[in-house]
Amino acid sequence: MDTTILVLGASGQIGTELTQKLRDIYGSHNVIASDIKEGNTEMMSSGPFEIIDATNKETILEVVKKYDVNQVYLLAAMLSATAEKMPQKAWNLNMNSLLAVLDLAKEKHIQQVYWPSSIAVFGPLTPKENTPQQTVMQPSTVYGISKVSGEFWCNYYHEKFGVDVRSLRYPGIISWKTKPGGGTTDYAVDIYFKAIEDKKYECFLSENTRLPMMYMNDAVNATIQLMQAKEEDVKIRTGYNLSAIDFTPKEIAAEIQKHIPDFEITYNPDFRQAIADSWPSSIDDSQARKDWNWKHEFDLKSMTSDILKNLNK
Ligand code: NAD
C-alpha cells in the first residue's frame, strides 16, 4: 500500500520542515499538510493543504477519507511557556487532539500514528544528568503533565488495541526556517537571529542553564527513521529518549562569537528559568540508538556554522 500522510499542525516550527522532507520522500501529493492557519509559501505551493482543527475528530476523518490517508503525524500542541499561561486550553488541545487521532487508529481508519513527546515529561525529582529512559517522571508544568499523560495514552492504545503509535521525547529543537512557538528553549533560536540583526541578545535563561538540544535536521531525520523502523524494533511505546547535544547560553554565545566576534549576550531570567530548572541537562538515548539505530549528525559547532551561513544568505 502507498504511504499517504496527514500532518496536523504542519505550519509550526517542526511541521514546516518535516512536511517538506516527507514530501521529498513520499511525493508531494501523498503528504497532506493541515493546520488552523496557513503555512509558508513553500508548504502552500508544494502540495495539498487543508484547514483542520486537530481536536475535531470528524474533520480529521473527512480528510483521511478524502485522500485515503494511512499515517498521521500529530504536531498540533501548545508548548511549555504558553501552556503555563493558558493551562486549561493547553490541556484541551494537547489531550483531545491525541485522543481523537488514537481513536481513529483504533477504529482502523489509519494504520500508523506519530506523536511527539518532550523532555518536559521529566521534573525536579528526575536525575538531571544523562537522564535514563525509565526514571521518575513528575513534571512540574502543565505542558509536561500533558506529555506524560499523552505517553501513557499512547502506550495504552498500543497494548489494548494494537495501535501502531510511535513517539520521541524531543529536546529543544533549533531551526532557522521557522521561528519557534512558545517553548522554553526558544532562546537558542532567537539568539542566532539577534546575533545577525543586532549583534546583541538578552537571554531569558541564566548563563549556566544547561539543556538538551537538537538541530532541526536531526529531529526531522529521527522522526522519519522511527516511523520507518520495523514494527518489532519499536520497543518503547511511551516515548523514546532522544538526544544530540547539550549546552548553556554562555556556550552557544561563545560559539557564535567565533563567527561574529563583537556579539554580546546579557542575561535577564524570567518565568521560563523555573521551567528550565525542572528539566534534565542531558539525556541518555542509548535505547533509541540500539533499537532503531538512531545517530545524530550535528554538534554545536556544525549547527552554528550551518545556521549562520543560511541566515546570512
Ligand atoms: P509550534 O507551536 O511551532 O506549532 C504548532 C502548530 O500547531 C502551529 O502551527 C499551530 O497553528 C498549530 N495548532 C494550534 N492549535 C491547533 C489546532 N487546534 N488544530 C490544528 N493545529 C493547531 O510547535 P512545534 O515546535 O512545531 O511543535 C510540534 C510538536 O513537537 C508539539 O507536540 C510539541 O509539543 C513538540 N515538541 C516541540 C519541541 C520544540 O523545541 N519545538 C520540543 C519538544 C516537543
Side-chain angles (χ1 to χ4, degrees):
M1 189 175 29
D2 281 350
T3 302
T4 309
I5 295 170
L6 171 63
V7 184
L8 297 164
S11 306
Q13 189 200 4
I14 297 175
T16 300
E17 298 200 38
L18 181 61
T19 302
Q20 222 47 55
K21 186 71 185 256
L22 289 169
R23 284 182 172 164
D24 292 344
I25 296 172
Y26 294 103
S28 292
H29 290 283
N30 294 321
V31 180
I32 296 89
S34 76
D35 203 290
I36 45 170
K37 61 173 196 218
E38 290 197 348
N40 67 9
T41 326
E42 192 184 11
M43 177 184 297
M44 301 309 291
S45 60
S46 65
F49 181 90
E50 300 274 345
I51 291 286
I52 301 181
D53 174 351
T55 61
N56 189 329
K57 189 179 158 191
E58 298 313 313
T59 323
I60 305 173
L61 182 57
E62 273 170 35
V63 175
V64 163
K65 286 184 173 161
K66 177 175 167 189
Y67 293 94
D68 266 332
V69 166
N70 42 40
Q71 286 188 10
V72 171
Y73 287 64
L74 168 57
L75 305 177
M78 195 184 289
L79 272 70
S80 58
T82 317
E84 286 307 294
K85 294 179 183 158
M86 293 181 252
Q88 188 67 52
K89 216 174 152 192
W91 177 258
N92 290 345
L93 170 58
N94 296 3
M95 285 299 95
N96 294 343
S97 57
L98 177 60
L99 289 170
V101 172
L102 289 175
D103 273 334
L104 290 172
K106 173 186 158 193
E107 291 156 13
K108 311 272 185 237
H109 296 293
I110 46 181
Q111 272 74 57
Q112 232 190 345
V113 176
Y114 177 75
W115 174 80
S117 183
S118 158
I119 55 162
V121 294
F122 301 119
L125 300 177
T126 306
K128 247 189 159 19
E129 276 165 40
N130 236 357
T131 302
Q133 175 70 42
Q134 309 289 0
T135 184
V136 181
M137 295 199 294
Q138 285 188 34
S140 55
T141 62
V142 172
Y143 177 67
I145 295 170
S146 76
K147 289 296 185 188
V148 171
S149 311
E151 283 196 8
F152 290 151
W153 277 120
C154 290
N155 195 53
Y156 183 85
Y157 271 71
H158 178 73
E159 298 277 309
K160 284 264 165 181
F161 311 118
V163 167
D164 186 1
V165 52
R166 305 175 180 202
S167 178
L168 298 170
R169 292 171 180 158
Y170 290 138
I173 307 298
I174 302 169
S175 64
W176 55 270
K177 285 190 185 160
T178 316
K179 296 227 176 161
T184 301
T185 52
D186 291 7
Y187 91 84
V189 176
D190 297 338
I191 195 169
Y192 289 107
F193 284 87
K194 288 286 184 337
I196 288 186
E197 285 161 14
D198 306 334
K199 295 201 166 67
K200 58 177 198 270
Y201 179 66
E202 184 178 274
C203 186
F204 58 75
L205 297 181
S206 65
E207 61 182 331
N208 292 322
T209 308
R210 180 173 298 283
L211 288 170
M213 302 275 189
M214 178 175 289
Y215 194 31
M216 180 65 82
N217 306 35
D218 278 330
V220 165
N221 287 340
T223 306
I224 295 172
Q225 214 183 316
L226 173 66
M227 285 298 273
Q228 290 180 339
K230 282 196 235 123
E231 197 165 351
E232 62 268 26
D233 290 340
V234 182
K235 305 218 160 55
I236 301 284
R237 295 292 179 159
T238 49
Y240 271 99
N241 275 9
L242 186 75
S243 151
I245 38 181
D246 53 81
F247 54 78
T248 65
K250 195 175 170 182
E251 287 167 0
I252 190 176
E255 195 57 44
I256 292 173
Q257 279 156 351
K258 290 182 190 163
H259 301 260
I260 307 171
D262 49 350
F263 171 66
E264 280 172 30
I265 183 165
T266 51
Y267 303 95
N268 187 12
D270 66 13
F271 73 100
R272 288 168 281 194
Q273 184 67 46
I275 302 180
D277 288 341
S278 77
W279 288 351
S281 51
S282 60
I283 299 283
D284 173 0
D285 64 351
S286 47
Q287 177 112 30
R289 290 176 194 264
K290 184 174 96 211
D291 288 358
W292 42 277
N293 212 10
W294 156 244
K295 277 185 227 54
H296 71 279
E297 196 184 329
F298 285 87
D299 59 13
L300 178 58
K301 188 167 179 244
S302 50
M303 175 181 79
T304 300
S305 307
D306 198 60
I307 294 177
L308 293 177
K309 185 183 76 198
N310 281 295
L311 287 182
N312 271 321
K313 282 187 201 154

